[in-house]
Amino acid sequence: MRQRHGVDARHKAGHDGFQNDAGLGPAALTFPPGPAVAHQRTPHMLEIKNLHARIGDNEILKGLDLTIPAGEVHAIMGPNGSGKSTLSYVLSGKPDYEVTEGTATFNGQDILALAPEERAAAGVFLAFQYPIEIPGVANMQFLRAAMNAQKKARGEEEISTPDFLKLVRAKAPDLGITQDMLRRGVNVGFSGGEKKRNEILQMALLEPKLCILDETDSGLDIDALKVVAQGVNALRAPDRAMLVITHYQRLLDHIVPDVVHVMHKGRIVRSGGAELALELEESGYAAYGQDAA
Amino acid sequence: MTIPVRPARTPAEDAIAATLQARLAVAAGQGGLEGRLGELSADALEAFRAHGLPNRRVEEWKYTDLRAAVRDFPPLAGTPGPAQEAEAAALALDVPHAARLLFVSGALARGASDFAGLPAGVSALPLDAATASNNPLLDRIGSLQPDRYDGALALNTGFLGEGLVVTVEAGIKAAKPVHLAHVFPAGEAVAGFTRTVVVVGEGAELTLVESFTGREGVAYQANHAMELVVGDGATVNLVRLQEEGAAALHLGTLMVELGRAAKLNVFSLVQGAALSRHSVYGRFQGTGTNLGVRGATLLKGRQHADTSMFIDHAVAGCESRELFKTVLSDESHGVFQGKIVVRRDAQKTDGRMMSQSLLLSDNAEMDNKPELEIFADDVQCGHGATVGTLDDKMLFYLRSRGLPLKEAERLLIQAFVGEAVEFVEDEALREVLIARMVAWLEKRAA
Ligand SMILES: Nc1ncnc2c1ncn2[C@@H]1O[C@H](COP(=O)(O)OP(=O)(O)OP(=O)(O)O)[C@@H](O)[C@H]1O
Ligand SMILES: [Mg+2]
């Protein structure tokens, strides 16, 4: 707990320091050019500027910029260790990371200042690359507690037991989550693919606004990949944005991205259309070896 | 040979010895504590004079120094009035469908006890009635006493007088649980001593609940001892809830003897008292028996709770399982001591003992002392102790789904103690225990 507070405090210091050093004016200056009216209709749901983050003495994000408008699906590809998972953790508030510089806003709100649970209630969801097992906390109990905690934080009515059961019964079978798996401890004894599908079930129940999927495709068999992609596509909506981290084009066959970014050494080094993923599959990341250092 | 040098007695020890002495003298004059109870009591006084309150120089009490902790000795409780009985009845743990016998500040409250509701084949006889009728079951008292001096038990024996002899006839499956509720209501701090002897006949089955509750803020001293004889082929489930008031001292002793193919499943939940000690003495008398002693201890503030077990495998082919979970917050202090002795003839013994603790604060402390003494060569025994903190990765996973930190912690703590509670077979009782734990956790999260 002490550590967590320390991180938050340091983050705030870094944040203030950055604004002073850079001498930036009002936040409006950082908005992209364009007519004000149009901008309001499609606000940038996620806006990351010059983000630096470290774990211990190891700086991993080194000035990352990324903007995702509402309604869009963006993919991030990049070599192992380039910082993709780190970005997903920093956005969802994992306490181990220290943000030393830069900003990240979600619908205009500074999300880096929020506790993980506040970010979740605001609509940020991370499908973990490696979902963890929590023995003794039944999956069902967990799902319901999570839904109600978010509802409570937003001042909404809690979901009743019958409504909750109905909802789970409507969504779990499509994702291949059985009654037995719902009764077991969270992810306990789940296969790698089952864990990933359980992440998507959580996402489907919680209906977040910003869905970050960290290599949800790895470990999935071909059929499961389709099922998961369907689950993700079902959530595509004008008021929702998605950040899909993947190594493989095959996921993007099913979840077609609006923009593909290449991440390298803690920065976005290139952005392009869906065709960029195909190009990367051909040529790999060798071309980025020098310019991003 | 060295002669133990007794340090000067503390004022509390003086007060205890004087009260014991006076009580015996009165009793001798009035014919109250005659026979077996009187003899046992006089022996206990003598032992207490020699050894006093257990202190840290006594190996078994190394982490729980009663001599240092017990500063004074409050007066013995008198006979409870109707108002106290009513308050105690309201304060007692509610166990659905159980026949409840109520002790108020250590004295049996006959009027508030459901003797009529005892299940068929089960009887409960107050100790004074047993003495008056010279009941042969009185010989059971003290029969399971350990050889070594146990200061808490010596006090209980010294103040023998209040209590019950509970018997279950052979072959009887008691139709509902028997609940012995011990309550200390509001008022002056008092000391109360109770002794229960439970004899479960061959092949019989009984579920027994013991609960200890009391008013917050009253520095009363509760001392309870149970001698439990589980007959051949009999099955006993014993659930114990210690939720004494936050200023109280609780000393509890459980002595059990298991017959051939007997089964005893004990679960103890400890959440109360400023200082508590629960000593368990288990002795196997027949082969093929199965003993499970498990528990959960949840502590906050500056609470101190000690669970100490002495399991004696004297005969072959017996199984024992001990699992204790301790959750420590604030500046609390937990103690687990467990000793399994496997005697030379106790081949094929299967004994497993585990203590797991969860530190929720840097200032909390846990002392573990598991011990094995094995004199037989063909046995399977093991023990272990772990001390850990809540898993950061799990906490983050839960929080990332919207659970506030305190609620995430609550779920993980519940999961931790749940691994022991799940051994309580009776679902209704398990629910009662879980509800008490949830109440503790919610109070902490508030
Ligand atoms: N706890 C840690 N301590 C020090 N370095 C760490 C720690 N966690 C991650 N790193 C380092 O940070 C870098 C980025 O890791 P990250 O997991 O974000 O990469 P990634 O892009 O997700 O890789 P992959 O494609 O293999 O999933 C790596 O070099 C990694 O070794
Ligand atoms: Mg990764």
Side-chain angles (χ1 to χ4, degrees):
Chain A
M1 247 166 283
R2 196 183 306 121
Q3 189 190 10
R4 225 169 343 255
H5 289 153
V7 169
D8 286 351
R10 266 193 305 255
H11 157 64
K12 285 198 186 92
H15 181 103
D16 293 338
F18 166 63
Q19 287 200 329
N20 293 340
D21 293 350
L24 288 181
L29 273 186
T30 65
F31 283 170
V37 178
H39 165 244
Q40 270 173 3
R41 241 185 252 130
T42 54
H44 287 170
M45 186 162 246
L46 179 68
E47 187 138 28
I48 304 173
K49 295 221 163 285
N50 189 33
L51 191 64
H52 290 254
R54 56 171 60 222
I55 183 159
D57 288 334
N58 193 3
E59 182 167 71
I60 298 162
L61 300 185
K62 302 171 182 174
L64 182 136
D65 294 290
L66 178 66
T67 299
I68 308 182
E72 293 193 3
V73 173
H74 288 212
I76 292 189
M77 303 180 84
N80 296 134
S82 54
K84 303 181 297 296
S85 293
T86 300
L87 173 64
S88 71
Y89 285 144
V90 167
L91 290 177
S92 47
K94 195 168 186 206
D96 310 335
Y97 298 90
E98 182 189 353
V99 173
T100 52
E101 220 181 306
T103 56
T105 58
F106 175 61
N107 287 332
Q109 189 183 15
D110 173 13
I111 55 164
L112 298 179
L114 302 179
E117 56 268 34
E118 293 170 325
R119 301 184 197 196
V124 177
F125 179 91
L126 166 63
F128 284 68
Q129 182 175 1
Y130 303 109
I132 57 160
E133 301 189 5
I134 310 184
V137 177
N139 212 2
M140 227 25 188
Q141 177 196 12
F142 159 67
L143 292 171
R144 180 146 182 232
M147 277 187 84
N148 280 334
Q150 292 201 11
K151 284 180 182 293
K152 197 172 157 195
R154 292 193 291 256
E156 296 165 13
E157 187 102 352
E158 291 199 352
I159 189 165
S160 71
T161 307
D163 286 351
F164 172 70
L165 292 176
K166 216 184 285 168
L167 202 59
V168 173
R169 274 193 214 111
K171 308 214 175 197
D174 286 347
L175 288 162
I177 305 287
T178 63
Q179 285 297 314
D180 173 59
M181 290 160 77
L182 288 167
R183 251 174 281 152
R184 260 188 262 164
V186 176
N187 292 327
V188 173
F190 287 28
S191 73
E194 287 168 346
K195 285 179 184 165
K196 297 297 182 78
R197 285 187 265 142
N198 199 29
E199 295 289 288
I200 301 306
L201 173 64
Q202 292 170 42
M203 190 168 93
L205 291 171
L206 295 168
E207 301 187 315
K209 293 288 175 223
L210 173 65
C211 308
I212 307 168
L213 293 105
D214 191 357
E215 293 195 30
T216 301
D217 52 335
S218 51
L220 289 181
D221 63 43
I222 296 157
D223 295 333
L225 185 74
K226 282 187 195 149
V227 165
V228 163
Q230 273 163 16
V232 173
N233 285 329
L235 282 171
R236 284 182 96 143
D239 63 343
R240 189 171 279 140
M242 305 214 183
L243 181 57
V244 180
I245 297 170
T246 183
H247 286 296
Y248 305 107
Q249 163 61 32
R250 54 166 199 187
L251 177 69
L252 304 181
D253 287 340
H254 301 285
I255 307 172
V256 180
D258 296 292
V259 181
V260 174
H261 304 276
V262 180
M263 186 159 174
H264 189 74
K265 296 193 175 167
R267 303 172 66 185
I268 300 296
V269 293
R270 194 175 161 198
S271 303
E275 69 287 350
L276 179 54
L278 290 166
E279 185 192 317
L280 289 168
E281 193 126 274
E282 281 292 303
S283 58
Y285 299 108
Y288 304 94
Q290 262 114 38
D291 58 16
Chain B
M1 283 291 287
T2 52
I3 297 161
V5 180
R6 283 266 299 112
R9 277 209 202 119
T10 64
E13 286 174 320
D14 281 337
I16 291 168
T19 313
L20 273 172
Q21 177 71 60
R23 193 166 164 276
L24 278 172
V26 170
Q30 296 181 340
L33 264 193
E34 295 174 325
R36 180 134 181 97
L37 297 196
E39 276 166 38
L40 286 167
S41 194
D43 288 351
L45 171 59
E46 201 175 306
F48 183 77
R49 282 214 177 103
H51 301 278
L53 287 169
N55 57 78
R56 67 195 144 78
R57 279 183 300 275
V58 177
E59 187 59 23
E60 292 86 350
W61 292 78
K62 183 157 108 180
Y63 303 109
T64 302
D65 189 332
L66 270 193
R67 181 176 291 155
V70 177
R71 291 301 170 83
D72 51 284
F73 184 63
L76 293 174
T79 313
Q84 276 181 309
E85 283 192 9
E87 191 201 340
L91 214 58
L93 177 73
D94 188 28
V95 180
H97 316 299
R100 187 171 78 186
L101 307 179
L102 183 68
F103 287 86
V104 180
S105 303
L108 179 65
R110 277 161 218 264
S113 292
D114 188 15
F115 284 97
L118 287 171
V122 178
S123 69
L125 187 64
L127 273 194
D128 52 2
T131 304
S133 63
N134 209 6
N135 192 300
L137 283 173
L138 286 179
D139 290 343
R140 296 283 192 171
I141 298 181
S143 66
L144 301 188
Q145 202 161 294
D147 298 336
R148 291 193 68 147
Y149 174 77
D150 176 326
L153 181 59
L155 282 186
N156 187 280
T157 308
F159 288 104
L160 262 177
E162 284 289 347
L164 289 169
V165 177
V166 177
T167 51
V168 185
E169 288 166 28
I172 286 286
K173 293 189 191 345
K176 56 176 163 176
V178 175
H179 175 194
L180 307 178
H182 300 260
V183 183
F184 281 75
E188 291 295 299
V190 291
F193 298 84
T194 46
R195 172 74 61 110
T196 317
V197 175
V198 182
V199 181
V200 181
E202 197 176 324
E205 281 180 25
L206 174 69
T207 294
L208 195 58
V209 181
E210 282 190 294
S211 66
F212 304 89
T213 49
R215 278 284 176 219
E216 301 293 312
V218 185
Y220 63 87
Q221 299 187 2
N223 186 323
H224 172 74
M226 173 180 276
E227 289 176 271
L228 170 59
V229 180
V230 186
D232 291 349
T235 298
V236 174
N237 290 302
L238 172 60
V239 168
R240 195 177 175 276
L241 171 77
Q242 192 270 87
E243 222 176 23
E244 304 276 19
L249 167 72
H250 175 96
L251 299 174
T253 311
L254 170 65
M255 295 159 276
V256 301
E257 183 185 281
L258 294 156
R260 189 176 39 79
K263 195 172 167 231
L264 172 62
N265 184 12
V266 181
F267 186 88
S268 165
L269 175 60
V270 173
Q271 300 187 164
L275 186 148
S276 70
R277 160 95 166 194
H278 188 217
S279 305
V280 180
Y281 297 95
R283 197 190 293 170
F284 296 88
Q285 289 297 101
T287 57
T289 64
N290 184 304
L291 170 65
V293 188
R294 299 178 180 89
T297 300
L298 307 175
L299 302 177
K300 58 181 169 21
R302 306 198 60 185
Q303 280 180 296
H304 175 112
D306 175 332
T307 296
S308 292
M309 320 222 327
F310 308 89
I311 307 296
D312 188 347
H313 284 268
V315 295
C318 295
E319 189 180 286
S320 71
R321 291 283 179 277
E322 293 82 36
L323 174 63
F324 278 84
K325 300 271 188 173
T326 310
V327 178
L328 299 136
S329 57
D330 306 326
E331 293 163 64
S332 59
H333 186 182
V335 177
F336 176 81
Q337 302 187 101
K339 186 172 189 168
I340 300 182
V341 179
V342 183
R343 300 197 186 269
R344 221 188 43 201
D345 295 334
Q347 301 294 1
K348 307 278 180 208
T349 290
D350 181 354
R352 297 285 146 89
M353 180 162 60
M354 176 59 95
S355 161
Q356 295 173 327
S357 26
L358 195 53
L359 296 178
L360 301 179
S361 139
D362 290 344
N363 301 319
E365 187 184 331
M366 181 72 198
D367 287 301
N368 276 304
K369 199 178 78 179
E371 286 176 280
L372 282 175
E373 265 182 29
I374 302 178
F375 302 100
D377 47 25
D378 183 15
V379 301
Q380 277 196 19
C381 284
H383 66 61
T386 62
V387 180
T389 55
L390 288 173
D391 186 303
D392 285 338
K393 287 202 177 80
M394 293 185 190
L395 281 175
F396 174 61
Y397 190 83
L398 295 172
R399 295 176 78 191
S400 78
R401 299 308 185 235
L403 291 160
L405 176 62
K406 288 285 179 190
E407 206 181 322
E409 288 181 347
R410 191 167 76 92
L411 279 181
L412 295 183
I413 298 168
Q414 230 172 298
F416 173 75
V417 291
E419 290 170 354
V421 187
E422 69 184 20
F423 286 96
V424 175
E425 284 166 23
D426 185 308
E427 197 178 328
L429 281 176
R430 203 165 58 231
E431 292 302 320
V432 168
L433 292 171
I434 290 171
R436 296 318 303 152
M437 290 182 192
V438 168
W440 187 92
L441 290 164
E442 275 170 0
K443 226 177 187 175
R444 177 180 176 267

